[in-house]
Amino acid sequence: MPDSEENGRPGGRAVSGEEVEGAPRRPPLDPEIEARREAAFRLLRSFGDPVLRSKAGEVTRFDESLREEVARMDRLMGDALGLGLAANQVGVLHRLFVYRAGPDAPLVAVVNPEIEWSSQDEEIAEEGCLSLPRVAVDVERPVHVRVSARDERGAPITIEASGLEARVIQHEIDHLDGVLILDRTTRDQRKEALRILRGGEEHVHDAVGAGGDADA
């Protein structure tokens, strides 16, 4: 899920470059950061890749190779300026995702997650996805969740999250089940998003979305 200011779109819609012309722009990224970001995107699976529609399998071995996988995903997520990243997005069908609750927050690796509880209170917010560049759509999700899982060493963990953190967690678990934000938005927004993804248009990447947007 991308950082909000890297893939956000105004008005909760999937939009093309023409529609945001004249909108406020974020300052240009440092060239080195931009180069790392572009390199990271080339390593991520994008819309149309069958792995994004595949359900990931349970992790059974908590060994050094798994911890190396977590470290690699952390680097890619950071270079892509993302909030979260699921294993499907790097072409690995493991029930594993990584995320950071904030820019200075520690990395959290979540293996074999299960949502134990989610609140009846739900909220609509704009989401983007590192695997669906140039697109952001409205998605309704529970505001609070409790998730049981294991960490990268196999130790049981429980995560109680609210707000943006809860949204990122639910977004990444969707990835592990082969579900995309296109499946959770309105018909009109899905139609427009598909037009953008399939149209081969030239789109800008630097429109600043509304506060609270999230991409992973």
Side-chain angles (χ1 to χ4, degrees):
M1 192 166 190
D3 180 272
S4 60
E5 293 194 356
E6 296 306 321
N7 204 35
R9 294 293 180 264
R13 300 176 296 118
V15 299
S16 65
E18 290 85 349
E19 291 178 274
V20 297
E21 188 173 359
R25 306 295 179 88
R26 64 167 170 80
L29 290 175
D30 177 272
E32 183 178 344
I33 295 174
E34 184 64 51
R36 288 203 304 267
R37 183 170 183 252
E38 290 179 0
F41 270 95
R42 287 195 291 271
L43 297 174
L44 298 178
R45 302 300 178 96
S46 58
F47 178 75
D49 192 313
V51 75
L52 295 176
R53 288 301 193 179
S54 301
K55 187 168 183 176
E58 186 171 342
V59 174
T60 58
R61 296 182 61 179
F62 294 83
D63 54 11
E64 188 60 30
S65 65
L66 179 66
R67 291 186 282 277
E68 289 174 358
E69 185 179 339
V70 167
R72 175 174 178 263
M73 290 173 61
D74 181 26
R75 289 193 299 270
L76 280 174
M77 179 180 70
D79 288 348
L81 305 181
L83 299 174
L85 187 68
N88 308 52
Q89 293 177 277
V90 295
V92 179
L93 287 175
H94 285 168
R95 293 194 72 79
L96 160 69
F97 69 89
V98 299
Y99 78 97
R100 293 181 187 274
D104 300 318
L107 177 75
V108 182
V110 184
V111 186
N112 299 335
E114 296 289 342
I115 297 179
E116 292 185 340
W117 171 85
S118 58
S119 67
Q120 293 185 348
D121 293 338
E122 297 190 335
E123 190 173 71
I124 296 174
E126 197 174 75
E127 290 184 22
C129 180
L130 293 174
S131 293
L132 306 176
R134 306 177 302 274
V135 162
V137 296
D138 287 344
V139 177
E140 185 174 25
R141 297 193 189 273
V143 176
H144 313 283
V145 295
R146 181 172 64 244
V147 174
S148 62
R150 293 185 180 272
D151 66 14
E152 66 270 37
R153 297 186 178 277
I157 58 173
T158 299
I159 302 171
E160 295 187 356
S162 299
L164 178 59
E165 183 180 7
R167 181 169 293 274
V168 171
I169 288 170
Q170 292 172 85
H171 178 112
E172 303 307 334
I173 291 176
D174 272 355
H175 271 303
L176 302 182
D177 292 328
V179 176
L180 300 175
I181 55 175
L182 301 178
D183 305 317
R184 294 199 178 277
T185 193
T186 65
R187 180 178 179 181
D188 286 345
Q189 289 192 30
R190 180 167 58 251
K191 183 177 179 180
E192 176 64 9
L194 289 171
R195 184 187 71 80
I196 291 171
L197 289 165
R198 293 171 174 166
E201 299 174 358
E202 188 71 24
H203 303 290
V204 296
H205 290 258
D206 56 1
V208 178
D213 300 351
D215 301 333

